[in-house]
């Protein structure tokens, strides 16, 4: 473990001793602030509510859970958590079905409301599905899965681009009680195989081919290659995204009726042989909803486990309050469904809220760098949620691509995945949002399930400082700890108490979960990110403290990249640092053969005075070579 030291640098917001004084101070109810939280005695404004949500977390979450979710059976215990032991359990005793919460209850009140708008790769060819249609598609898929032997507790791997069928597949799993494991459709056969094996999936759902940026991607062939080394796989459902036939094997099951290119009406003919009614399974709050793999600092990806009630509640609440989502708004999160951002803010959050969500299948520059803003105009998007890397890319193409289109429907702009630099933030705010839309920089992780720090979780009028995530969400208590990483002192971000959306464990490796997140500071959730707190109490996230690098807002372990680089005959060995790589003749290694990454990091950061102790290096001269090489590169 690279951590050493570890004392609490400072606590969040203020001393929470004052909370209980707040309670009972005034007699108003909070309905105007947050309808879900109506009736908390003594809480009269947003800041009171934030304090209450942290200090009286059980009362807060119990009320919100009762209000926002439809339960088959009410829970008897709000939470039973012990972070130091890695035990995290919420809403025990409760039973519910996530697909019913995302679909059926809205079909009862507004069946024809648009649930998803599929923004296909081909420009101007969007497909809309109402809640009624999405429920029918989900039920048909649920019946198909059940008929083909998928049972409660199984884990289905989904290898598909963002499309209604992918969402229906996720919800169909939830309907029958199976867990899903969505694998980003850009991952290689090896990466897919590793995830299928770890999840022990017997069923895979895919499409014949994907289409992205005008290019065809051979998804089915990748699945074929992957399952060669996955003995558990017994069946592969194949839908048709393009018209090109693919070779089908004995394990493949065609979903021929499913054609991506055909009209909205025809999409209704998906699996016509299946019934449109599918009995939802009653699930315990803590049954697994999905696994999602994310990279760690060692090679093996971690299958983080999210469960039913707590995850859904947290995704829904953050979606509503972080972005000020209102009924009737069109919400667009342009992340792929293969990442947690797509899970929480393309699928579960918006659908749990009865919202309209856009599924973006394309790229920011296809067919040209005006794609996002043309889409905003055509679909009348109200909230747009994207990644700094895309914003930085578009900024380079200039303002004209933005000005071409009407963005007057936009109300909130969101950013996620990495720190957003000031230039990108300003451009997003001034050019894209015409200076009138708040930019919300949202900090969170696959492990946290939903947004934990964002500028306006409680107050839609609060001040926003560019490039800062700023304020904790309801129920979140951030804490900064002094720590030492590679000999330098840093401040790391921890969260001092559990919240419903957090991951419960790592599939097949509960001990790794406890060691990674719970043991560095017993009793606290350790995020692995560095942070800073301004004198006003606002948080700024500085990035990963470990060897995980962030490529385009997605986490990739340095070990995984080094594995690939090292397969290349020209590269004898490699070390990657925070997305930066350079070719050097030799790497600084200790006598025992370990690459001294902190030295590389210091060189990259041009902090040559702080190189620290080099005495364990095999050949200290290597450092000079690297410094020279880096200098030449700049
Ligand atoms: C980074 C993505 C700075 C951070 C939701 C975190 C951020 C990792 C921000 C999680 C932000 C995410 N500012 N850094 N607003 N949001 N990160 O699991 O290092 O793919 O630990 O989840 O992205 O990446 P993940």
């Amino acid at each position: 473990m690279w951590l050493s030291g570890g004392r609490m640098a400072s606590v969040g917001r203020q001393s929470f001793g004052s909370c209980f004084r707040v309670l009972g101070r005034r007699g108003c109810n909070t309905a105007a602030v947050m309808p879900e939280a109506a009736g908390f005695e003594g809480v009269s404004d947003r800041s009171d509510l934030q304090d209450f949500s942290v200090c009286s977390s059980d009362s807060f979450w119990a009320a919100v859970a009762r209000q926002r979710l439809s339960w088959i059976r009410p829970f008897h215990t709000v939470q039973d958590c012990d972070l130091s032991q890695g035990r995290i359990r919420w809403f025990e005793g409760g039973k519910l079905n996530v697909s019913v919460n995302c679909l059926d209850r809205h079909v009862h009140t507004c069946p024809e409301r648009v649930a998803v708008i599929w923004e296909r790769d081909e420009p101007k060819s969007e497909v809309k599905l109402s809640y009624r249609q999405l429920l029918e598609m989900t039920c048909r898929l649920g019946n198909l899965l059940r008929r083909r032997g998928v049972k409660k507790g199984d884990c289905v791997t989904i290898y598909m681009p963002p499309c209604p069928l992918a969402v229906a597949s996720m919800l169909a799993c939830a309907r029958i009680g199976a867990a899903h494991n969505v694998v980003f459709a850009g991952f290689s056969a090896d990466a897919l195989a590793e995830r299928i094996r770890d999840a022990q999936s017997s069923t895979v759902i895919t499409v014949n081919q994907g289409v992205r940026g005008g290019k065809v991607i051979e998804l089915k062939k990748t699945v074929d290659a992957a399952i060669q080394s996955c003995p558990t796989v017994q069946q592969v459902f194949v839908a048709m995204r393009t018209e090109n036939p693919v070779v089908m094997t004995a394990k493949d099951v065609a979903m021929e009726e499913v054609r991506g290119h055909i009209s909205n009406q025809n999409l209704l003919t998906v699996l016509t042989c299946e019934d449109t009614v599918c009995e939802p399974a009653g699930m315990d709050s803590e049954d697994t909803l999905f696994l999602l793999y994310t990279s760690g600092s060692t090679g093996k990806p971690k299958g983080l486990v999210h469960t039913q009630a707590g995850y859904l509640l947290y995704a829904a609440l953050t979606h509503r309050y972080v972005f000020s989502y209102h009924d009737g708004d069109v919400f667009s999160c342009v992340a792929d469904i293969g990442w947690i951002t797509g899970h929480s803010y393309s699928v579960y959050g918006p659908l749990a809220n009865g919202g309209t969500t856009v599924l973006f299948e394309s790229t920011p520059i296809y067919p040209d760098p005006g794609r996002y803003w043309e889409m905003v105009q055509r679909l009348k998007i109200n909230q747009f949620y994207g990644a700094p890397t895309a914003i930085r890319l578009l900024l380079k193409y200039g303002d004209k691509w933005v000005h071409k289109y009407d963005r007057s429907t936009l109300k909130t702009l969101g950013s996620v995945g990495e720190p957003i630099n000031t230039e990108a933030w300003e451009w997003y705010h001034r050019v894209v949002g015409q200076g009138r839309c708040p930019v919300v920089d949202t900090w969170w992780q696959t492990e946290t399930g939903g947004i934990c720090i964002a500028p306006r979780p409680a107050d839609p009028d609060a001040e926003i400082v560019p490039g800062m995530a700023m304020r904790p969400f309801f129920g979140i208590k951030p804490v900064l700890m002094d720590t030492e990483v590679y000999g330098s002192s840093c401040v790391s971000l921890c969260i001092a108490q559990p919240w419903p959306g957090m991951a419960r464990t790592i599939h097949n490796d509960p001990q790794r979960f406890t060691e990674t997140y719970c043991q560095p500071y017993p009793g606290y959730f350790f995020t692995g990110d560095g942070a800073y707190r301004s004198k006003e109490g606002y948080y700024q996230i500085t990035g990963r403290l470990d060897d995980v690098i962030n490529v385009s807002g997605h986490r990739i372990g340095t070990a995984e990249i080094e594995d690939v680089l090292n397969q290349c005959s020209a590269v004898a060995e490699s070390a990657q640092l925070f997305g930066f790589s350079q070719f050097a003749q030799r790497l600084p290694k200790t006598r025992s053969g370990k690459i001294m990454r902190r030295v590389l990091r210091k060189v990259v950061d041009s902090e040559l005075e702080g190189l620290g102790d080099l005495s364990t290096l095999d050949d200290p001269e290597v450092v000079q070579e690297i410094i020279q090489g880096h200098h030449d590169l700049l």
Side-chain angles (χ1 to χ4, degrees), residues 294 340-341 415-419 441-447 529 541 543-544 550 553 555:
T294 187
I340 189 71
T341 314
S415 169
V416 61
E418 56 188 307
D441 175 8
T442 63
W443 175 85
W444 59 298
Q445 318 175 294
T446 307
E447 293 83 343
D529 278 325
I541 313 302
R544 305 286 313 169
N550 195 318
R555 268 195 286 171

Side-chain angles (χ1 to χ4, degrees), residues 159 189 192 196 204 206 218-230 236 238 246-249 251-252:
Y159 188 67
L192 172 61
I196 293 175
V204 178
T206 191
E218 299 290 349
L219 297 184
K220 164 70 164 62
K221 281 192 186 150
T222 307
V223 173
D224 287 347
I227 65 171
Q228 298 296 315
S229 59
C230 300
V236 178
V238 186
V246 281
V247 177
M248 299 290 274
T249 70
K251 287 183 176 172
D252 296 334

Side-chain angles (χ1 to χ4, degrees), residues 77-296:
T77 307
V78 183
Q79 54 104 1
D80 172 19
C81 301
D82 180 349
L83 278 184
S84 62
Q85 301 295 315
R87 188 175 74 239
I88 304 152
R89 309 189 63 81
W90 285 85
F91 310 121
E92 279 190 307
K95 272 193 186 293
L96 79 173
N97 184 281
V98 165
S99 79
V100 168
N101 275 273
C102 289
L103 299 172
D104 304 56
R105 60 177 175 161
H106 312 309
V107 170
H108 290 143
T109 55
C110 48
E112 299 313 320
R113 181 183 291 175
V114 177
V116 298
I117 307 178
W118 181 20
E119 175 68 5
R120 305 171 66 238
D121 190 58
E122 300 84 342
K124 303 183 189 166
S125 67
E126 76 273 12
V127 172
K128 295 182 180 175
L129 268 85
S130 66
Y131 271 94
R132 186 177 51 75
Q133 290 171 311
L134 188 61
L135 175 61
E136 284 182 7
M137 195 190 252
T138 300
C139 286
R140 286 185 157 138
L141 271 161
N143 287 328
L144 174 73
L145 293 174
R146 258 195 193 137
R147 197 164 51 77
R148 302 278 314 197
V150 178
K151 295 183 303 297
K152 193 168 171 173
D154 290 352
C155 180
V156 174
T157 294
I158 299 175
Y159 188 67
M160 292 169 109
C163 62
L165 199 66
V167 173
S169 300
M170 293 162 79
L171 294 169
C173 290
R175 192 152 195 100
I176 65 169
H180 58 70
N181 164 34
V182 181
V183 178
F184 172 54
F187 272 143
S188 67
D190 283 348
L192 172 61
E194 187 174 17
R195 288 158 173 79
I196 293 175
R197 275 197 305 269
D198 192 73
Q200 294 147 301
S201 284
S202 57
T203 301
V204 178
I205 310 180
T206 191
V207 294
N208 63 333
Q209 297 177 316
V211 190
R212 192 155 185 268
K215 295 195 191 73
V216 167
I217 307 158
E218 299 290 349
L219 297 184
K220 164 70 164 62
K221 281 192 186 150
T222 307
V223 173
D224 287 347
I227 65 171
Q228 298 296 315
S229 59
C230 300
T232 53
V233 174
Q234 280 161 12
Q235 53 186 352
V236 178
F237 294 104
V238 186
M240 297 293 282
R241 168 62 180 85
T242 67
E243 300 205 43
N244 307 325
V246 281
V247 177
M248 299 290 274
T249 70
K251 287 183 176 172
D252 296 334
V253 182
M255 295 200 283
E256 272 146 20
E257 302 91 329
V258 187
R259 282 188 198 278
H261 67 285
I262 52 180
S263 72
N264 186 12
Q265 202 184 353
N266 281 343
L267 265 172
L268 272 181
T269 62
V270 171
L271 304 167
T272 38
C273 55
E274 300 292 347
D275 198 345
T276 55
V277 176
C278 174
E279 185 62 28
M283 303 298 287
D284 290 335
S285 295
E286 285 298 337
D287 283 337
T288 300
L289 177 61
F290 64 86
L291 308 184
L292 189 61
Y293 285 84
T294 187
S295 299

Side-chain angles (χ1 to χ4, degrees), residues 362-441:
S362 194
T363 82
I365 52 169
Y366 180 76
D368 60 47
R371 176 62 186 258
Y372 280 165
W373 324 122
E374 187 276 322
M375 172 178 84
V376 165
Q377 172 182 296
R378 180 165 32 87
L379 305 182
K380 300 189 169 47
I381 288 169
N382 302 113
Q383 289 88 9
F384 181 90
Y385 191 29
T389 176
I391 303 303
R392 282 195 296 272
L393 175 71
L394 296 178
L395 180 160
K396 294 203 189 100
Y397 285 96
D399 302 1
K400 69 168 199 264
W401 292 106
V402 187
H403 290 153
K404 261 178 95 169
Y405 303 103
D406 176 10
R407 285 116 45 231
S408 58
T409 51
L410 283 175
K411 295 194 280 193
T412 308
L413 297 171
S415 169
V416 61
E418 56 188 307
I420 178 162
N421 53 308
T422 313
E423 190 193 10
W425 194 99
E426 296 285 354
W427 187 80
Y428 203 23
H429 184 246
R430 182 177 50 79
V431 179
V432 176
Q434 299 161 301
R436 54 170 191 84
C437 304
V439 171
V440 292
D441 175 8

